[in-house]
């Protein structure tokens, strides 16, 4: 609301209102008191009033210039005219505008200079034009106007800075959400597609060696894996379509689903040894992150390691959850330098919740992925 007079239309509205008030009041007062003692220069007074009324139409475009012109015209007007009209209104509006547009120091200097002129002139004249109390009240208004403008300027700066912060926060939230969705797609759907690829490639190799190879079991594994992939994809799409509602998307990823994850890897020809020590109620975010790390690690083993055996360890302590996936593949065959292998995503899942992450080849061959999380996570 305080900004609506800062544009060109606002200047026209304020200028017209000021012109109507000043001219109507002054003309009426002149008609009623035409016989009073004339001022020092009535013609000059009318010129000063006209200039003040006109320049106020450009108060936002040239605030400092308009403020200086109005204060000079006002100081000249009152001794020159016999009509004690609302000439001061234009100066008040110009001074407020100057401060409200952020020129607080300039407005304060003009107000201070005006105050000195008013007080000194009245003291020297023995308070002929105004009483001491009236001079004091006018001085208070001269001080208060730029102070009010300064408050408005501060509010505008605060509002603009808040808008910038909110916009940046929204952009950051969108970027983080896009990253989260990409990570979920990579970890969930990518894992299932990797299993399908491994099963299909293995079946094709066996068919080349033995055209009579029975593919029923392999096709069943592919069908089951495809169903899991579609289920997770539908769940994510459901969340995206109804962000504000609890849509029935099924349970989220959890270490409770490790057995089915390990079984799918075994059906792909990998020997998986699963060991789970300890049990506790895990934070949802930690539970999901741990599951995704194990899932992505098994995906990397199937795709890159040419391993035969994998150990999956899950240890739940009093304050920490730790998972480890260790295989007997060929050294660095995980493609650790490949940006598409998901190691960066696994590190983000661990460290983003206050945990740790380490991954690399072992001295005696194979590859190890280890991650830990605190059981108390500030979300």
């Amino acid at each position: 609301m305080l900004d609506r007079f800062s544009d060109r239309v606002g200047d026209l509205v304020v200028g017209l209102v000021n012109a109507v008030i000043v001219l109507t009041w002054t003309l009426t007062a002149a008609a009623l008191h035409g016989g009073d003692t004339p001022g020092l220069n009535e013609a000059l007074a009318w010129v000063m009033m006209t200039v003040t009324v006109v320049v106020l139409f450009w108060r936002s475009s040239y605030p400092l210039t308009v403020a200086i012109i109005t204060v000079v015209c006002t100081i000249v007007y009152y001794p020159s005219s016999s009509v004690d009209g609302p000439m001061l209104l234009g100066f008040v509006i110009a001074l407020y505008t100057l401060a409200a547009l952020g020129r607080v120091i300039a407005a304060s200097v003009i107000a201070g200079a005006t105050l000195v002129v008013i007080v000194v002139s009245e003291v020297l004249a023995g308070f002929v034009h105004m009483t001491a109390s009236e001079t004091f009240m006018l001085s208070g208004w001269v001080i208060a106007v730029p102070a009010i403008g300064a408050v408005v300027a501060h509010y505008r700066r605060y509002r603009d800075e808040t808008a910038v912060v909110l916009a940046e926060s929204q952009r950051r939230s969108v970027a983080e959400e896009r990253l989260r969705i990409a990570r979920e797609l990579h970890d969930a759907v990518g894992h299932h597609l990797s299993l399908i690829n491994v099963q299909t490639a293995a079946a094709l190799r066996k068919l080349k060696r033995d055209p009579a190879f029975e593919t029923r079991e392999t096709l069943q594994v592919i069908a089951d894996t495809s169903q899991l992939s579609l289920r997770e994809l539908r769940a994510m799409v459901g969340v995206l379509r109804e962000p504000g509602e609890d849509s029935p998307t099924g349970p989220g990823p959890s270490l409770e689903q490790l057995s089915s994850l390990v079984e799918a890897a075994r059906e792909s020809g990998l020997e998986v040894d699963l060991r789970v020590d300890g049990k506790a109620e895990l934070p949802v975010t930690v539970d999901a992150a741990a599951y995704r790390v194990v899932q992505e690690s098994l995906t990397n083993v199937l795709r890159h390691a040419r391993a035969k055996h994998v150990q999956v360890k899950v240890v739940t302590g009093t304050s920490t959850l730790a998972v480890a996936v260790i295989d007997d593949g060929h050294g660095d065959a995980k493609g650790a330098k490949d940006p598409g292998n998901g190691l960066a995503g696994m590190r983000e899942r661990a460290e983003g919740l206050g945990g740790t992450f380490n991954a690399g080849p072992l001295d005696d061959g194979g590859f190890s992925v280890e991650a830990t999380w605190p059981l108390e996570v500030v979300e």
Side-chain angles (χ1 to χ4, degrees), residues 270-273 301 306-312 326-329:
L270 195 64
E271 295 179 11
V272 183
D273 178 20
V301 171
R306 299 193 299 276
K308 294 182 179 180
H309 184 266
V310 179
Q311 289 182 328
V312 178
I326 304 171
D327 67 77
D328 61 354

Side-chain angles (χ1 to χ4, degrees), residues 22 47 190 307 367:
V22 172
V47 171
F367 198 87

Side-chain angles (χ1 to χ4, degrees), residues 126-361:
F127 297 100
V128 174
H129 306 95
M130 294 184 293
T131 64
S133 60
E134 289 174 340
T135 303
F136 176 78
M137 292 179 62
L138 181 59
S139 301
W141 275 108
V142 172
I143 295 173
V145 169
I148 295 172
V151 172
V152 173
H154 176 74
Y155 163 76
R156 286 173 172 169
R157 285 196 299 270
Y158 171 76
R159 184 203 54 198
D160 293 341
E161 291 172 359
T162 301
V164 171
V165 171
L166 288 176
E168 182 62 29
S169 177
Q170 290 175 349
R171 286 194 293 269
R172 191 182 304 113
S173 297
V174 170
E176 291 175 354
E177 185 64 12
R178 291 178 64 181
L179 179 61
R180 186 189 68 80
I181 294 172
R183 189 185 299 132
E184 288 294 322
L185 286 171
H186 178 277
D187 291 353
V189 180
H191 170 77
H192 297 311
L193 291 177
S194 295
L195 289 179
I196 292 173
N197 178 68
V198 170
Q199 290 286 343
T200 305
L204 287 174
R205 286 195 298 270
K206 291 180 181 179
L207 282 172
K208 286 182 180 179
R209 292 195 298 267
D210 181 10
F213 171 69
E214 178 59 51
T215 60
R216 180 185 301 275
E217 184 177 345
T218 301
L219 291 175
Q220 185 61 50
V221 172
I222 293 174
D224 294 341
T225 305
S226 300
Q227 187 176 17
L228 288 174
S229 178
L230 287 173
R231 186 181 304 163
E232 293 213 31
L233 185 59
R234 288 194 189 101
M236 281 184 281
V237 171
V239 171
L240 291 176
R241 284 180 175 173
E242 303 179 58
E245 301 180 17
D246 296 329
S247 53
T249 58
S254 168
L255 291 177
E256 297 293 334
Q257 304 167 14
L258 266 187
S259 56
S260 59
L261 182 65
V262 168
E263 188 59 32
R266 288 170 179 166
E267 290 174 352
S268 298
L270 195 64
E271 295 179 11
V272 183
D273 178 20
L274 174 62
R275 194 185 84 184
V276 178
D277 294 335
K279 190 174 181 63
E281 185 175 350
L282 303 175
V284 175
T285 52
V286 171
D287 198 8
Y291 175 84
R292 291 303 191 197
V293 167
V294 175
Q295 183 184 55
E296 179 61 22
S297 298
L298 290 177
T299 300
N300 284 345
V301 171
L302 290 169
R303 293 176 59 190
H304 305 293
R306 299 193 299 276
K308 294 182 179 180
H309 184 266
V310 179
Q311 289 182 328
V312 178
K313 301 178 183 178
V314 180
V315 180
T316 304
T318 57
S319 60
T320 305
L321 169 68
V323 300
V325 180
I326 304 171
D327 67 77
D328 61 354
H330 301 287
D332 171 304
K334 294 286 175 310
K337 298 179 181 179
D338 182 0
N341 62 19
L343 290 180
M346 287 190 280
R347 182 179 299 279
E348 290 172 2
R349 289 188 182 278
E351 296 180 352
L353 295 174
T356 62
F357 179 82
N358 292 288

